[in-house]
Amino acid sequence: MPHPESFTLSGPAAQLWDTLVGLAELQSDMQHTVMRGLDLPSRARVLAAISKLATRGALENEADFDLDSREPPPRPQLRKMHLELTHRCNFACKGCYLGARLAPVSGASRHEGTTEQWLTLIRQAGELGCTYATITGGEPFIRPDILTLLDALSAQNISAEINTNGSCITPRIAKALRNVLVSSVEVSIYGYDAASSEGYTGSKAGHDASIRGVRHLVEEGVPVHVKYFATSTTNHGYEQINQLLMPLGVKVKYAAVTIHGDIFDGKPAPDGLTVDIPRKEVKQKRELPCTPSMNGLGIEPDGSVRACPKLTLLFGNAFEQGLEAIWNRSADLTAFREFWIEYCKSAGFVRGASLKSPCPANNLLMREGGLAEFRNQWDTWREKERA
């Protein structure tokens, strides 16, 4: 892509660039074939290069590194997962999307899958063709087996994006992340200093620990992106954080705290918590804005399966029934695939539409009663299908 800066590459860096250029010219199925043919450290380096160059604006990725299909496939094929490994966290953010499900670090973990259950699910996902996973929580680095699970994903050729507050990332963890298939570590910062962060997260030491975590990642060459989630009281501090991390080569993305309606029972968020960010309209380029249940699933800590990670509709339990059985043989999930197409079209999400938010789930969750309305539509549609 055109870029305002000039790059001079030589040696291994130039060879890597040539590899990426050649990769970009291949069809998506061949891109996967080439990537799978590389050894693990080479795949990790290529993914890190892709992430960094995309951040610099030198190339553009398809959404979520989903390189296979721009349209819903005729036969659903699992390509990506949203894995909520835990609902425990060392922060207690006021606007956490988990709401009442958020648990402290010392909270009981009996509702979380065991290491063996997650390893079985990851193996099944690889057998179904999954190539991409978002790892989130809670705080995923709370789990002592996180590196074991990331190793298992890599062994199945599944690249991971990790969502974290960064405060648990030690030099040892950062070094270990160099050798797994991590497309990006997404670190969220919730204040411009310790006091402002504590006001939102409830953690006195959290802010400084998060900044240290970012430094550790940068020092080990792990691709890292930082988001500054602003509230009405911390909005003015974005530039302070940006200047702090700029010497590390990290440009901080400005974002507002998104309040999902299911946190507050579909009601508006408390006054003073949110900040509105002007959004430019974008045109929908695909037939559907996204394809939950057709190429992706969300898995909760106890194995419960969501078609869309943001919408709390459940379709069985992967730990109990097996991921393959749910993906290929669940009557409800099959019906939801048809319902989603009809719903998106009826809600105006069609190719060429100008939209401020291209995500149907966000539109529902930001509107009072939106989630309940969606559930009622699904229940009504499903009953008609059964009849």
Side-chain angles (χ1 to χ4, degrees):
M1 295 180 66
H3 196 268
E5 298 180 26
S6 296
F7 290 87
T8 301
L9 300 176
S10 61
Q15 294 173 1
L16 181 58
W17 177 257
D18 288 341
T19 299
L20 294 177
V21 170
L23 194 63
E25 293 174 348
L26 298 176
Q27 295 295 320
S28 59
D29 57 342
M30 285 302 298
Q31 290 178 346
H32 280 293
T33 299
V34 170
M35 288 294 286
R36 286 180 177 136
L38 299 174
D39 60 57
L40 187 57
S42 296
R43 289 202 302 274
R45 285 194 293 272
V46 170
L47 281 171
I50 289 173
S51 180
K52 289 180 181 179
L53 289 168
T55 303
R56 296 286 298 273
L59 57 80
E60 184 177 29
N61 297 313
E62 292 185 19
D64 293 337
F65 284 91
D66 180 19
L67 303 175
D68 283 283
S69 176
R70 291 184 174 84
E71 304 296 343
R75 182 179 181 278
Q77 188 169 11
L78 182 65
R79 287 301 184 196
K80 53 189 175 182
M81 296 185 298
H82 185 94
L83 304 182
E84 293 180 11
L85 300 181
T86 179
H87 283 166
R88 292 177 293 150
C89 189
N90 55 336
F91 287 6
C93 298
K94 293 180 178 178
C96 177
Y97 77 99
L98 290 175
R101 295 174 294 162
L102 182 69
V105 174
S106 58
S109 60
R110 62 182 180 275
H111 299 303
E112 296 177 13
T114 63
T115 302
E116 289 71 25
Q117 286 175 315
W118 280 112
L119 290 175
T120 298
L121 182 143
I122 289 168
R123 176 180 53 77
Q124 292 172 346
E127 292 170 353
L128 288 168
C130 183
T131 58
Y132 182 86
T134 297
I135 307 300
T136 186
E139 172 48 53
F141 287 99
I142 289 294
R143 287 190 64 116
D145 61 358
I146 180 64
L147 293 177
T148 299
L149 301 184
L150 291 172
D151 282 337
L153 287 166
S154 297
Q156 294 294 331
N157 294 306
I158 300 172
S159 64
E161 174 194 87
I162 307 173
N163 293 338
T164 174
N165 60 40
S167 64
C168 298
I169 296 176
T170 63
R172 180 186 69 85
I173 289 176
K175 189 171 185 177
L177 292 177
R178 291 178 56 184
N179 297 314
V180 293
L181 295 180
V182 174
S183 61
S184 177
V185 179
E186 305 284 325
V187 178
S188 299
I189 302 291
Y190 297 101
Y192 53 88
D193 59 15
S196 62
S197 178
E198 182 186 358
Y200 182 76
T201 66
S203 173
K204 291 183 177 180
H207 177 79
D208 291 342
S210 295
I211 298 299
R212 283 196 301 271
V214 173
R215 293 183 186 276
H216 296 326
L217 292 168
V218 171
E219 288 166 359
E220 292 296 339
V222 178
V224 55
H225 297 154
V226 176
K227 292 181 181 178
Y228 181 77
F229 281 93
T231 67
S232 57
T233 57
T234 62
N235 189 28
H236 64 283
Y238 162 72
E239 194 54 42
Q240 184 173 328
I241 287 293
N242 199 34
Q243 292 297 321
L244 176 65
L245 295 180
M246 195 173 291
L248 299 178
V250 176
K251 180 171 174 56
V252 180
K253 181 179 179 181
Y254 173 75
V257 173
T258 301
I259 303 300
H260 294 296
D262 51 350
I263 299 174
F264 303 107
D265 299 322
K267 299 175 184 178
D271 291 339
L273 193 56
T274 60
V275 174
D276 289 328
I277 294 181
R279 297 181 183 272
K280 294 182 180 179
E281 287 192 346
V282 295
K283 284 201 173 185
Q284 183 172 308
K285 297 179 181 179
R286 309 179 186 185
E287 192 67 24
L288 291 175
C290 58
T291 49
S293 77
M294 300 176 205
N295 69 0
L297 288 178
I299 312 294
E300 297 190 355
D302 66 354
S304 297
V305 175
R306 294 186 182 190
C308 168
K310 295 182 179 180
L311 299 174
T312 49
L313 295 178
L314 301 181
F315 296 87
N317 188 291
F319 294 155
E320 298 169 4
Q321 299 162 255
L323 190 62
E324 188 276 335
I326 293 175
W327 182 257
N328 287 325
R329 298 191 291 279
S330 167
D332 281 341
L333 192 61
T334 299
F336 183 82
R337 289 165 181 151
E338 299 177 18
F339 167 76
W340 185 252
I341 295 172
E342 290 189 16
Y343 173 79
C344 288
K345 290 181 177 178
S346 67
F349 290 89
V350 295
R351 188 194 299 270
S354 294
L355 307 163
K356 284 193 175 180
S357 174
C359 174
N362 275 353
N363 282 11
L364 288 166
L365 294 169
M366 293 296 287
R367 178 162 49 87
E368 184 175 355
L371 182 59
E373 177 188 301
F374 177 78
R375 286 173 174 160
N376 288 336
Q377 286 183 262
W378 160 242
D379 289 340
T380 301
W381 192 91
R382 188 66 178 116
E383 286 305 314
K384 286 182 179 179
E385 288 296 303
R386 287 184 176 131

